[in-house]
Every structure is written in C-alpha cells, then in structure tokens.
Amino acid sequence: MPILSAVSTIKAKTLVNPISVLARSFASVAGEPKPLHAHYPVVPGSLTAHLQLRTGETFTGGSFGASSSAIGETVFTTSLVGYPESMTDPSYLGQILVFTQPLIGNYGVPRRSRDQYGLLKHFESEKIQCKGIVVSDYATKYSHWNAVESLSEWCEREGIPAITGVDTRALVHILRGQGSTLGSLSVGAQPLKADKIEWSDPNQNNLVAEASTDAVRVFNPDGDVHVALIDCGVKYNIIRSLCDQGARVSLVPWNHNLAANLSSYDGIFISNGPGSPSHCHETISQLQQAFSSYQRPIFGICMGNQLMGMAAGLNAYKLRFGNRGHNQPAVDLTNGKCVITSQNHGYALDDSQMPKGWSRYYVNANDGSNEGIRHLEKPFRSVQFHPEAKGGPLDTAYLFAEFVDSVRQAKLANVPATLTESADRQAATA
C-alpha cells in the first residue's frame, strides 16, 4: 500500500498555486520541488509509467496498460462506477482520463455481447476512445459474473497506456486550480524530456468529424416514427433509448445535408460528441436552416445542446475543468425540480442573454452553467447532461419518452415537416 506523507502546509484560502493544495500524497516528495515530481514505489518487475503535465508537474507510477505513449487533454471524472462505459464514450476522444474513484478495475471488463439492435450492451462504442487512463489503485484481481478479461488486458489489447499509483486527489487539485491541462502519458524508466514532448491540443482539431459515422445507418427499421440522429460522436445508449421508445433511427453523419431531407424525418435528434463545438460550422448551418422552416420536434444532448444554442445565436465557451461524472445536479427551470445527472463536457453555452424566442431550460446547481435551452413556441429543446446515462443515474430518462411521444403526436396530427410543405397544403386546398 502507498505511504501517506505530508508534502506541504496549506495556507487558508490560498489557491494561487495549485501545488499548495497538496495536503498529503501517496508519493514521497522531498521539500517543495518546482516543478512537482511525485514518485510511487513501483512493484519490482513491473514497468514504470509517467504522467507529465504541460505545466511541469510529473507523476510516476506503475504501468498496467499498453507500453506506448499518448498526449491529450488531461481531464477527470467523479464517476464511482462505469469505467467500461466511460472509456468507450466518444466524448472522451483525445483525452487522458483521470478517475477520482480510488479503486478501478475490480469488476474487470464485460463480454462484447449485443442487444436486439446490434449495439454492444456494455460499451458506448466499438473501442476505447480516451488516449489513456490514470488511476490511484488498480485492482490486479477482478471478480464479476460477466467479466471476461482484466482492465489491464483490455488496455493492452487496444493499445491504451494506463498508470496506477497516482495521487489522484493531488492531481485533481492541480487540474481544478489551473484548469484542464495537456498531458503526456509514457512508459519507461525515466520521464520524457520536456523539450522532446511534441504537445498537441486535440481541441484544435474537429474531433466530431473523427468520431462521426461516414454513412447513414438504420436501427429498428420497423419503428413507427422516423428520427434522424445526427452523429457527433453518439453513445450507443442514445440510439438504444430512442429505439426502445419505438422510433426508427437513421444515424447520419455530422455534416449530413439535413435541409434537403427535412420532409423525410418525423423528428431530429443531435447527439453528444467530443471537443469544441466551434469546428462544426456545417452542422450549425444545417440547424439554422432547420430552425427557420422545420415544424416537427428537435432535441439535442450535450454537444447537441451546444450546437443548437450556437445555431440559435448563442456563444460557447470552455469551462475551466468541465463537468464529468454521475452526480451533477441540474434544475429544471420550468418547474423548479432538481435532477441528478450524468455529464461529460468541457464546453458550455453562454446563456447570459438569450436570443429572441428562446429560453433557458436547465441550469447547473453547482456552478450555474447552462444545462439546456428550449424554444418558446416551436418543439425545439436540448439538454447539456446525458438522460441516457449509461452507468446511471436514470433521473432524466423520461426525456426520451417525452421526445418520441411528441414526435408521434406530431405525426398523428399530420404536422407538415416544413413551412413550405404547409404552404403547399394550404394552396392545394384553396
């Protein structure tokens, strides 16, 4: 077991230097070195791994993944369970994922079984999406009735580096203090020389384009309503949740020509996705055209919320360290009720001034950031959190039922898809 040792004395209300908040550490640190280099006693015979932040801090521990290196944005999740779902969530594309839950790997990795829609039951995509993982204490022995391999074996097989023995409390203090930071995860006796690391910010790339499908795919073809699901990096449980409500789902690329096919869809859904929404100009343009003429329901989740907001005229900004976990409280501004939600995002909408015709829908009870928007007249709305919440909680799963029910009601009422279609009907009956 790692030995606790005090590394500094915290001065009251002093948050200028994130290193000053390291009240105790699993690592042995002599004095107050700058930059910080925290060492964990690696088990003899095991490989050594290093997490190096661009700001100079280094954490050395044991390797339990692939013997490779990775560079990405270092972020943390407060989720207590669901590491297979988190690691396969496309929203973590380009990121090194830090788990604040101390013990990781104790229930292994489940089998790759599929449901009636052809989707993996226990994973949110076909592969691990994050660049690497960081944990405090990796469980070398796992136990679960559905497990077929260890977390270490899974990471090795998919080429994902992983480090254990990191004082994740100290690391999270740093990330909260200075914000999400680029990191390098490598395996070797010594850390990489700082001037040899080729830093690359994944948020400078269009990660949505990388995560999205490149062809239309149909799920639950016998569904009674047809929903276009814009794939910005969709989680499988979003597809499943729509199908479970009886919808036929057409998964379309992020830059799909939506405007040319509006009449084909009974409803439109925009998924979650990785990175900055500022790269998705084509999606935003398509949504703007849809807002001006589409009359049937539109709903967005996470990245979908940001893209709908930007299409409506709002700006998006980068959060200091994001909201990632299964315990984020969001208040429904239509009724004052608070729900506990699953979240995974590093950007948010600036809703300080809402565009005409739009209103705030949900707000984060912790930091006051936007958690959703809705149109005051048209059936358009979105949420920043994840109602599908694979890994839990399920407080807001009802939003899928509400959306598909509204799509079904619009179809039964024979609501025209567009204003043009509405005008054509009126002309035909004149």
Side-chain angles (χ1 to χ4, degrees):
M1 295 292 292
I3 300 174
L4 298 176
S5 59
V7 297
S8 64
T9 301
I10 302 178
K11 296 182 179 180
K13 299 182 180 180
T14 300
L15 294 177
V16 177
N17 181 359
I19 304 303
S20 68
V21 301
L22 305 185
R24 58 182 185 173
S25 173
F26 288 156
S28 297
V29 181
E32 289 188 271
K34 295 182 179 181
L36 170 75
H37 187 170
H39 295 268
Y40 173 82
V42 180
V43 176
S46 299
L47 294 176
T48 302
H50 312 276
L51 173 67
Q52 297 168 257
L53 301 184
R54 192 174 190 177
T55 46
E57 301 85 2
T58 299
F59 292 84
T60 293
S63 168
F64 68 94
S67 299
S68 58
S69 59
I71 293 175
E73 182 184 19
T74 309
V75 301
F76 64 91
T77 174
T78 58
S79 305
L80 299 181
V81 295
Y83 56 83
E85 293 90 341
S86 293
M87 291 170 63
T88 54
D89 180 351
S91 291
Y92 281 118
L93 185 65
Q95 296 177 330
I96 294 174
L97 182 56
V98 180
F99 290 97
T100 62
Q101 165 68 7
L103 185 64
I104 297 292
N106 52 310
Y107 54 88
V109 177
R111 64 184 74 252
R112 291 174 63 87
S113 54
R114 297 183 182 270
D115 62 15
Q116 67 268 37
Y117 310 117
L119 303 168
L120 289 170
K121 289 183 178 180
H122 309 294
F123 305 94
E124 289 301 300
S125 67
E126 294 295 320
K127 64 179 182 179
I128 298 177
Q129 299 286 346
C130 58
K131 299 292 289 290
I133 61 172
V134 180
V135 308
S136 172
D137 187 4
Y138 168 63
T140 57
K141 294 183 179 180
Y142 65 89
S143 178
H144 193 277
W145 66 269
N146 197 36
V148 294
E149 63 181 337
S150 69
L151 178 57
S152 174
E153 291 169 331
W154 187 34
C155 288
E156 287 183 12
R157 180 164 53 80
E158 298 220 6
I160 304 298
I163 182 173
T164 182
V166 171
D167 183 352
T168 50
R169 289 184 60 182
L171 176 56
V172 168
H173 274 305
I174 293 172
L175 296 178
R176 286 179 61 91
Q178 65 190 21
S180 298
T181 305
L182 290 182
S184 169
L185 187 53
S186 62
V187 177
Q190 299 295 328
L192 300 175
K193 292 185 180 298
D195 59 353
K196 300 297 183 182
I197 301 176
E198 298 181 1
W199 297 107
S200 176
D201 185 356
N203 293 310
Q204 298 301 313
N205 303 324
N206 187 346
L207 298 179
V208 165
E210 296 180 28
S212 179
T213 183
D214 56 5
V216 177
R217 300 176 61 193
V218 178
F219 298 88
N220 195 33
D222 297 325
D224 66 324
V225 289
H226 186 197
V227 173
L229 174 53
I230 301 176
D231 180 11
C232 297
V234 68
K235 295 171 62 179
Y236 277 173
N237 205 39
I238 291 178
I239 303 173
R240 181 183 295 109
S241 297
L242 291 170
C243 292
D244 283 346
Q245 294 298 324
R248 173 192 176 191
V249 178
S250 287
L251 186 69
V252 302
W254 69 282
N255 57 353
H256 179 67
N257 191 343
L258 194 66
N261 297 277
L262 290 176
S263 297
S264 303
Y265 308 125
D266 300 316
I268 298 171
F269 201 106
I270 307 97
S271 83
N272 65 293
S276 170
S278 63
H279 299 291
C280 302
H281 306 292
E282 295 170 71
T283 314
I284 294 170
S285 175
Q286 291 292 325
L287 288 174
Q288 288 174 332
Q289 295 179 64
F291 287 169
S292 67
S293 63
Y294 197 65
Q295 300 187 95
R296 296 169 181 171
I298 300 178
F299 196 91
I301 283 180
C302 197
M303 176 65 75
N305 177 61
Q306 296 164 24
L307 296 179
M308 286 183 64
M310 294 177 74
L314 294 172
N315 293 318
Y317 65 97
K318 196 174 193 316
L319 295 167
R320 189 174 189 178
F321 48 82
N323 288 324
R324 300 176 179 87
H326 293 166
N327 54 358
Q328 288 288 330
V331 179
D332 184 341
L333 297 179
T334 65
N335 56 26
K337 292 183 178 180
C338 183
V339 290
I340 303 303
T341 66
S342 173
Q343 301 195 13
N344 177 11
H345 60 275
Y347 291 81
L349 291 174
D350 178 0
D351 61 3
S352 56
Q353 291 187 324
M354 293 299 296
K356 182 179 179 180
W358 290 84
S359 176
R360 299 162 74 206
Y361 188 12
Y362 283 85
V363 63
N364 189 293
N366 283 341
D367 61 15
S369 61
N370 178 268
E371 292 288 356
I373 60 174
R374 63 186 180 92
H375 199 278
L376 296 176
E377 298 177 358
K378 299 179 181 180
F380 306 161
R381 56 181 177 154
S382 58
V383 294
Q384 186 60 55
F385 51 84
H386 288 268
E388 83 288 350
K390 195 65 186 248
L394 303 177
D395 292 35
T396 56
Y398 64 86
L399 290 172
F400 284 99
E402 288 185 357
F403 170 72
V404 176
D405 284 347
S406 68
V407 171
R408 192 170 285 119
Q409 291 168 13
K411 183 176 182 179
L412 290 173
N414 199 25
V415 173
T418 64
L419 292 174
T420 301
E421 185 178 320
S422 180
D424 291 343
R425 288 188 188 180
Q426 293 177 0
T429 57

